[in-house]
Every structure is written in C-alpha cells, then in structure tokens.
Amino acid sequence: MKLNTIYWSKACIVKIAVIVTLIFGLLAVGPLYFPTSDIAQIEQTQAIIQPAVQNQQKVENEIETYYKAGTYTLDDPLVIQDPYGTAPLTALVIFDTPTSMQISIHIPGKTPLASVDHTFDGFNSHHEIPVYGLYADSLNQVTLIGTDQSGNTSQTVVQLQTEPLPVYLQTIKIIQANPDLYNPGMNFTYLNNKIVFDINGDIRWFSTESTFQAFAKLSDGHYLFTFTVPNEPNNVVMEEDLLGKIYNVYNIPGGVNHDFAELPNGNLLVTTEDPNATTIDDHLIEVDRRTGQILRDFDFKDYLDINRPNEIDALDSDWVHINSVVYDATDQSIIVSCRTQSAVIKFSYPGMQIQWILGPHDNWSAKYQPYLLTPVGDDFEWSWSQHHATIVSENNVNGSEIIDIMLFDNGIYRSFDEATALSGEDSYSRMVRYEINETDRTVRQVWEYGKERGGDLFSISRGSVYLLGNGDYLGTFADIVKDLNGNPSIYQYGGYPVHAEIVEVAPANNQVVFEAQINGIEDYRTFRAGLYDGYSDEYSGLSVKLNDTTQSWEEWLVTVVQQVKGKLGAIGL
C-alpha cells in the first residue's frame, strides 16, 4: 500500500523546513550556546515553534498510525515517498515478515554502474527500509528481496512514480566515462544545492533544503550541512539522513564558512568567525556533539601574523580565510588550509602549536621561519590560494615520519607581487600531492594533474580533490570562468558564464577516467560514495524518535526562558 496523504505543497514544505530547522536548534540538541545577539531570534522562534513541532511530529505519527491500522507484508508493504518532504527521490518502505529475514534492495540503473544495490544488516521481522536513488520523472521498479536464515528467498517489486526535476537543477553533461576504470559510486556535489548524480549524469538524489558550502558525511551514515535561514550567516547546522529525517541541529553563532571535521569522540570542528569582530573566516571551534555547546574557540590571530602580505586583492578583513580542516588521530593534530595565506599548516590539537607550514616562503617573519617546509626533488611547485587539504597516507620510513597531503591548487596569480602575477589566460589549477618528511621538514611534489590543461580548467575559487578506493583522484574544478570571448578569466564577478568540471584521473598515466561538466549549478566540492555507505539501523528509521518532541510547549518554554536567564545572569544582566 502506498501512502499519499502526508504530501504538502512545495511552498508549504519550504516553510516547514525553515521552521523545523529553528525548532530543532533548540529542542533536539539540548542546552545550546546562545550569545546575547541571538535572544531576538529566540523570541521570534517562540512565536512559530508550537505549530512547527506539531507538523514535524505529525509526519511520524501519521506513518505510525497507518502502519498499526493495517497488515503490511513484503508482498504488500506500506510505501511513503519523500516522507519528510525534502528529498523527492527517496521513499520509506515498512513491512513485517513472518520469520526473521535479511532484506536487500535493487534499483536498476540505465547502465550497470548506475544501479543501486544494498543488503541491510541483520535478520529481523520488522523492516523500515529507506529507498535512495530513484530516477526523476520515471516509474521506478524497486526490488526488495528477503532472505531467511535458511537461505530461502522471496521478493516483491515496488513501483514508484517520481516528478520531474525542478527547473533550477540543470542538465549535467558527461564529457567522458570509462565504465571499466570508473571507481564505483555516486557523485555527491554541493554548494547552494545538494545533489547526487551517477556515471551517466542522471541526478539520483537532491534536497529541497538550501545550504551553502558545507556538506559532510559522518561516521554514523548521517550527513551534516549548513541550513540557510533568512538573515542568518549559515549559523544553523543540520544533521540528517538522506530521507531528510532530522537527528540534531547545532547553532553556530558566527556561521559556518567552509568546513566541518568529525573528531574520534564524535565532537565537531567547525570553521567559523567571530560575529562581533572586524575580521572574517579566522576562527575554529569545537562543538560538543551531544549538547551543542562550544567547548573551544581558536582565534587564528593568536597563532599567525595578521599583517603578513598575502593574496593579491584579498580584503584586509579576509587575511587568512580558513577553508578546510582535517584531524589526524595518529598524533592528535589538525591540518588547516589558509587560502589567502597560500599556506597549509599543521597544528597540535588542542594545544595549537605549529608543526610545519606548507607554502611559499615569502613574507614570513623570523618567528615562523623554523616551521617552513623546504622543497626537494624535481618539478616542485608551490600551491596558491589552495582549497581542501587532506591526508592520503602516513608512514614511518627509516625513522622519519612521512605524510602525504592532497590539495586543490587554485593557482590564483601564483604570486604575492602584482608585478609577477599571472593573468587569467596564463593561469592553471591543479590537483597536487605532496610528500612531507615531518622529521626533516622537507616537502616533495609527487603528482599533479591540471597544469597540462592550462586555462581550460582554471578554477578561480573553491574546489576539492579526493583519493578514491581504486587509487584514482576525483577533482572538482569548481569555478571555471570564461570572458565573453571564451578566454579564461581571473575575475569572478563580471557577469561571465561559470561552470564546473568533475574529473576522475588515474595517476599512473594521468588518464581521464570520468569527466562531467556542470552548468547552472554552482559547485564547491564533489566526493564519490555509495548512497548506503555507512548506513546502520542503529541510527536510522522510525525507531529513532525525533529528539525530545514529547516535551510539551509549556515545558519547552520554561526550559528556554531558564536557559536565556542563565546566560544573561552569567554576564551580569
């Protein structure tokens, strides 16, 4: 049986999504960090939170009511498309089996690598099966296969008709795709919109919730992203699954400017800024995953030289521009990409002692000279205005600690001096891998791709590079700008057309395995993953209730008032 009664109009869905975001920033997480500047926002939230809580709870209550009122089997399951109203190419299928069974799902693709297959862990008699990866504007044939502990199987086909894609999701053009060499998985790409597309360029998942720049997969299979709230600087962070079910929301007073990192204890590192300061993109905070409280706040003006001359044309306020952070559990450190400094810097964590600096040696004062990495080997080139520094390998070789770093080298100007700066036509961007000897503080360039294509892939901002499971690299050349004559431009804001290229490269011979061109959808990063990677029943389904929605409106209001009074009292008001 297919349930259609819980659909809303698109306008209503958007309103509810905004409201739900505000609700769970207060309800789901527990005691949040509320600076005094947020009190007015809290008061506005109070006026709309009661009906929003009711609407959010109504969805799961209605599903539960339908389920309890009927008998749903593998042959005749309860099917709810887009249950939370934000992920149109998904569904939830609920049924019971007379004996414990393990369930597998198959969604046929237009080609073999576009198919979706997953087997859910464990043998159960009650099943809540999320369906990810439907085709838009299609009658999808979804096969569910049940296998009992004796190996006997039975199956059913669920037919799911979907609507066309929204007009703002334009066509993805596949330049080339080699199915024999392509690393399996879907392409998760995002900036203002979150989409997932397959090897053929077909969009297989998208969210109607607006975001900006930050979207990350967590170890429990959930996804973390910034949720755009009107008049707020990306300060709402949502934790959801691909169905759109909300698990947690975090309030970040300074907004999230680029990136998150998950610590081994589950806490989050977030790149942000001080909303009351005159500088931007220069703070890193640690957020308690359980409570939403800010445990640590690192101001990079305390660790780096704000007066160091850096990227040409950079605003004085944007002196460091932290755009990525990664945690290294092997030695409790973090590696931070600082775009306008053209530097990737390793710090101890949480001590924040500099370990090394990867970047051009220009303009560093004597205090920082001992930390600068010395280039060795042939064909070495520094990165400029880079993005997305990640760790790809670590080894101990003859007593020396060796770490390999991948990053996306945008190559803006390739100089701090206007007299030697490259023009747009002479510029190029690269995926580049560096081998760092942390003991000797030397760095060797071991691989690159992009320079040979010159201005065709020159990306003036954003970008990423990921190491794939088969050893290939997946790069996002995110902001390729051409002037009206079709020449590469270094200027982003001139009304010139912008597009992105997603490129998978085999490093042995720099063969392009896959290349997609995205027009009309701004891009930031693209990673490759399976739609069910990391999925666990422990963290999903209706069995996980919405956090603390059982609390009455009156109880909630008393709690919030007490929290606000406590904050005001703590600062003497």
Side-chain angles (χ1 to χ4, degrees):
M1 176 180 179
K2 184 176 177 181
L3 178 61
N4 293 305
T5 58
I6 62 171
Y7 287 118
W8 298 297
S9 69
K10 290 184 179 179
C12 185
I13 289 171
V14 172
K15 291 178 182 177
I16 290 172
V18 172
I19 293 169
V20 166
T21 299
L22 295 174
I23 298 166
F24 284 91
L26 302 173
L27 279 179
V29 185
L32 289 176
Y33 177 79
F34 289 129
T36 54
S37 60
D38 282 352
I39 293 176
Q41 181 185 359
I42 294 170
E43 291 174 346
Q44 294 173 359
T45 303
Q46 291 173 358
I48 60 174
I49 194 168
Q50 186 176 17
V53 170
Q54 292 171 345
N55 279 323
Q56 176 72 9
Q57 191 66 66
K58 177 183 175 183
V59 173
E60 294 202 346
N61 287 344
E62 191 167 356
I63 294 173
E64 196 167 12
T65 297
Y66 269 82
Y67 162 70
K68 289 181 178 179
T71 300
Y72 300 101
T73 64
L74 177 61
D75 293 328
D76 186 20
L78 176 63
V79 181
I80 311 101
Q81 286 185 240
D82 190 11
Y84 298 100
T86 60
L89 301 183
T90 69
L92 179 63
V93 181
I94 305 174
F95 58 92
D96 294 286
T97 51
T99 60
S100 293
M101 303 190 84
Q102 186 174 47
I103 304 300
S104 299
I105 187 171
H106 172 70
I107 303 174
K110 294 179 181 178
T111 58
L113 282 173
S115 296
V116 176
D117 291 279
H118 180 72
T119 298
F120 296 89
D121 291 337
F123 289 83
N124 303 286
S125 57
H126 176 70
H127 309 275
E128 298 170 11
I129 303 300
V131 179
Y132 306 144
L134 301 175
Y135 283 96
D137 197 19
S138 299
L139 182 62
N140 293 264
Q141 309 286 335
V142 179
T143 301
L144 297 174
I145 305 168
T147 304
D148 67 20
Q149 291 173 316
S150 298
N152 302 309
T153 64
S154 56
Q155 68 179 50
T156 191
V157 175
V158 178
Q159 299 189 32
L160 297 172
Q161 177 65 51
T162 54
E163 296 183 358
L165 292 171
V167 293
Y168 64 82
L169 295 182
Q170 299 184 28
T171 302
I172 297 170
K173 179 181 179 182
I174 301 300
I175 306 299
Q176 58 179 306
N178 186 330
D180 294 329
L181 300 177
Y182 178 91
N183 187 86
M186 300 283 180
N187 301 290
F188 289 67
T189 193
Y190 59 94
L191 179 66
N192 295 320
N193 304 109
K194 304 182 293 296
I195 64 172
V196 176
F197 65 94
D198 64 21
I199 186 173
N200 304 311
D202 290 306
I203 292 177
R204 306 293 295 277
W205 180 90
F206 71 96
S207 173
T208 59
E209 295 171 309
S210 181
T211 188
F212 185 68
Q213 288 193 155
F215 182 51
K217 195 175 193 309
L218 299 172
S219 59
D220 61 7
H222 295 165
Y223 293 82
L224 203 66
F225 66 95
T226 57
F227 185 88
T228 302
V229 175
N231 303 316
E232 293 298 328
N234 304 316
N235 66 336
V236 174
V237 176
M238 306 275 278
E239 180 184 337
E240 295 184 354
D241 61 23
L242 292 183
L243 283 180
K245 179 180 174 67
I246 300 167
Y247 294 87
N248 288 295
V249 171
Y250 304 92
N251 177 54
I252 309 300
V256 181
N257 48 47
H258 289 90
D259 205 7
F260 318 105
E262 186 178 10
L263 296 174
N265 64 2
N267 287 350
L268 304 172
L269 290 178
V270 181
T271 61
T272 185
E273 61 193 45
D274 179 352
N276 299 313
T278 57
T279 56
I280 62 174
D281 294 358
D282 57 0
H283 277 247
L284 180 70
I285 60 173
E286 180 179 340
V287 178
D288 189 305
R289 185 79 168 276
R290 297 171 297 104
T291 68
Q293 291 180 321
I294 296 175
L295 302 179
R296 297 183 173 96
D297 186 343
F298 303 100
D299 184 345
F300 272 60
K301 292 188 288 293
D302 295 334
Y303 313 110
L304 299 176
D305 181 5
I306 191 174
N307 296 311
R308 177 185 178 240
N310 49 46
E311 183 180 288
I312 298 170
D313 294 337
L315 300 173
D316 290 340
S317 60
D318 195 15
W319 67 278
V320 65
H321 196 102
I322 302 169
N323 61 29
S324 75
V325 58
V326 61
Y327 180 78
D328 186 353
T330 63
D331 62 358
Q332 296 77 54
S333 65
I334 57 173
I335 295 174
V336 181
S337 170
C338 305
R339 170 187 163 149
T340 49
Q341 296 279 322
S342 287
V344 174
I345 305 174
K346 182 172 182 175
F347 296 88
S348 62
Y349 190 83
M352 296 300 288
Q353 298 297 313
I354 296 176
Q355 306 299 299
W356 46 254
I357 299 172
L358 169 64
H361 290 192
D362 313 50
N363 307 325
W364 292 99
S365 66
K367 175 181 177 181
Y368 301 97
Q369 292 291 328
Y371 305 108
L372 297 174
L373 296 174
T374 301
V376 296
D378 300 327
D379 300 320
F380 182 89
E381 188 174 1
W382 294 116
S383 61
W384 295 85
S385 305
Q386 76 291 319
H387 283 74
H388 195 227
T390 61
I391 302 168
V392 291
S393 73
E394 296 183 82
N395 295 285
N396 186 297
V397 179
N398 297 325
S400 294
E401 297 298 325
I402 307 296
I403 181 171
D404 277 26
I405 301 295
M406 286 295 305
L407 57 84
F408 185 83
D409 172 19
N410 293 82
I412 307 300
Y413 297 113
R414 297 199 178 273
S415 175
F416 294 132
D417 184 352
E418 292 187 15
T420 58
L422 296 187
S423 67
E425 293 186 15
D426 295 327
S427 296
Y428 51 89
S429 299
R430 309 179 295 159
M431 298 184 277
V432 60
R433 179 168 178 161
Y434 293 111
E435 178 189 270
I436 297 170
N437 186 317
E438 296 188 303
T439 305
D440 297 341
R441 286 200 174 131
T442 59
V443 57
R444 182 188 307 273
Q445 180 178 304
V446 296
W447 182 81
E448 67 172 354
Y449 177 83
K451 183 176 182 178
E452 62 268 52
R453 294 183 60 175
D456 286 344
L457 291 182
F458 175 49
S459 181
I460 60 175
S461 66
R462 308 184 181 114
S464 64
V465 54
Y466 289 89
L467 174 64
L468 300 178
N470 65 355
D472 290 353
Y473 296 110
L474 184 69
T476 302
F477 296 79
D479 280 324
I480 301 172
V481 179
K482 302 293 177 68
D483 65 21
L484 298 181
N485 295 317
N487 299 314
S489 173
I490 208 163
Y491 300 106
Q492 185 172 13
Y493 307 107
Y496 298 147
V498 181
H499 75 276
E501 299 273 344
I502 314 302
V503 185
E504 178 183 347
V505 178
N509 55 8
N510 278 11
Q511 178 184 356
V512 175
V513 170
F514 172 80
E515 184 167 348
Q517 184 178 99
I518 301 181
N519 295 289
I521 305 171
E522 287 190 285
D523 202 359
Y524 182 60
R525 295 180 186 172
T526 304
F527 60 89
R528 180 81 54 78
L531 287 166
Y532 290 93
D533 284 0
Y535 177 86
S536 171
D537 289 336
E538 182 180 355
Y539 303 110
S540 305
L542 289 176
S543 56
V544 179
K545 294 301 181 184
L546 298 175
N547 291 329
D548 203 21
T549 54
T550 57
Q551 189 178 41
S552 71
W553 165 249
E554 292 80 6
E555 291 171 332
W556 176 87
L557 187 57
V558 169
T559 301
V560 170
V561 170
Q562 288 175 344
Q563 290 177 1
V564 174
K565 284 183 177 179
K567 295 293 181 183
L568 295 177
I571 60 175
L573 295 178

